Amino acid sequence: MSNDFLQFCKSIAIHGASTKDYHKRYEILKISGILERPNSEMSGVQCYDAQCNIQNLIKQLKVISGKKNINCDRCSLVNNEYLNLLSPNMKIIGAKGFTKEILEEEIHKYISTKQELCNSCDHYIETIYEVEPHIFIDVDLLGYYGDANCKISSIPTTIMIYKNQFSLLGIVDFIGNSILEVNQTMGHYTAYIRRSDNWEHHDDLKKKTRRVSSEQIINPHILIYVMM
């Protein structure tokens, strides 16, 4: 499935960022409707509201991590629900540890075939999940059930899903106050990008990208894996 945002990310990954790319990013966000223009009393000044959490941003950009297939034999209902994010049980991960085995186990639970009621005829049917070659995993609730901060090296660099191996290529990190302060959470998102075995830190508030150690302490909100 073609997606302007993913093509934009691919271009930066291959060629690096430029001033032109920053303009392209603005256009993608503007077209998606994320940047809403509020009323402004200042003549000649255009203001855009860029307040948004990363989960809503991914949904608005229509990034697809998987698909939920529903097919009812009784009433012939066929429906596909697209999944922007995969959301494993962070309570269990927080309690057992952020390991490859635990993360794989909780993702498989999330996308395993389930018995659900058909919305049309109330008959129990099986729902089957598929995943895309790129997946976005929502881990920001880690702060509710454990230590929100961890080392980059503690996050599994590879995971297996449906016998396919996925490689960790990016992490969306949050810098700000505690996620427990839901009504007043404010902060700034940055990104960590993995190139070979090296990590780069991309921060809009910094002039340059910098290389960081895998021992860097971060507060991960989204993990980005790509099928190898």
Side-chain angles (χ1 to χ4, degrees):
M1 180 179 295
S2 178
N3 182 287
D4 288 341
F5 172 66
L6 292 178
Q7 292 298 322
F8 169 75
C9 294
K10 180 179 178 181
S11 175
I12 290 181
I14 295 174
H15 305 294
S18 66
T19 302
K20 182 179 178 181
D21 291 314
Y22 281 95
H23 289 293
K24 177 65 175 177
R25 181 183 65 173
Y26 165 77
E27 291 299 327
I28 292 174
L29 293 174
K30 181 180 178 182
I31 292 172
S32 70
I34 294 171
L35 300 180
E36 298 179 357
R37 181 180 177 182
N39 294 328
S40 175
E41 298 179 356
M42 299 178 64
S43 176
V45 175
Q46 292 185 346
C47 299
Y48 291 88
D49 183 3
Q51 296 184 80
C52 184
N53 67 31
I54 189 64
Q55 290 81 3
N56 287 334
L57 182 63
I58 289 172
K59 291 176 183 178
Q60 291 283 350
L61 291 171
K62 299 179 180 179
V63 175
I64 305 300
S65 294
K67 184 170 64 174
K68 177 180 175 182
N69 300 312
I70 301 171
N71 192 338
C72 181
D73 294 332
R74 174 177 289 184
C75 69
S76 300
L77 173 70
V78 177
N79 188 27
N80 295 323
E81 296 181 10
Y82 291 104
L83 307 172
N84 303 107
L85 298 157
L86 302 185
S87 302
N89 190 323
M90 296 310 298
K91 183 176 183 179
I92 294 178
I93 292 175
K96 293 186 176 181
F98 214 150
T99 67
K100 171 182 170 69
E101 292 74 17
I102 298 300
L103 182 58
E104 286 178 344
E105 180 181 342
E106 293 309 312
I107 290 175
H108 278 102
K109 286 180 184 177
Y110 182 77
I111 61 175
S112 63
T113 300
K114 297 178 177 66
Q115 291 282 336
E116 297 183 11
L117 278 174
C118 174
N119 292 330
S120 179
C121 68
D122 290 333
H123 173 63
Y124 274 101
I125 57 175
E126 284 191 345
T127 57
I128 300 173
Y129 291 78
E130 300 175 5
V131 294
E132 292 291 314
H134 52 266
I135 57 174
F136 289 65
I137 302 177
D138 185 359
V139 296
D140 77 330
L141 290 182
L142 185 63
Y144 280 111
Y145 305 114
D147 189 352
N149 298 315
C150 64
K151 294 180 180 179
I152 293 177
S153 60
S154 69
I155 299 174
T157 54
T158 60
I159 56 175
M160 295 292 294
I161 302 177
Y162 292 152
K163 298 182 179 180
N164 294 311
Q165 182 165 283
F166 286 76
S167 178
L168 176 67
L169 293 189
I171 303 168
V172 177
D173 169 68
F174 181 74
I175 302 171
N177 59 337
S178 172
I179 191 173
L180 298 177
E181 303 171 63
V182 177
N183 294 327
Q184 51 184 340
T185 300
M186 297 179 63
H188 174 60
Y189 289 111
T190 69
Y192 289 86
I193 306 299
R194 181 170 167 241
R195 296 183 189 274
S196 299
D197 290 325
N198 298 313
W199 284 94
E200 298 173 354
H201 186 210
H202 294 250
D203 185 346
D204 284 350
L205 300 182
K206 306 292 183 182
K207 290 185 177 181
K208 294 183 179 180
T209 298
R210 65 187 181 94
R211 184 171 291 185
V212 297
S213 165
S214 61
E215 298 304 295
Q216 174 80 20
I217 301 296
I218 62 172
N219 179 5
H221 275 210
I222 300 291
L223 307 180
I224 304 168
Y225 285 86
V226 175
M227 188 184 297
M228 299 178 66

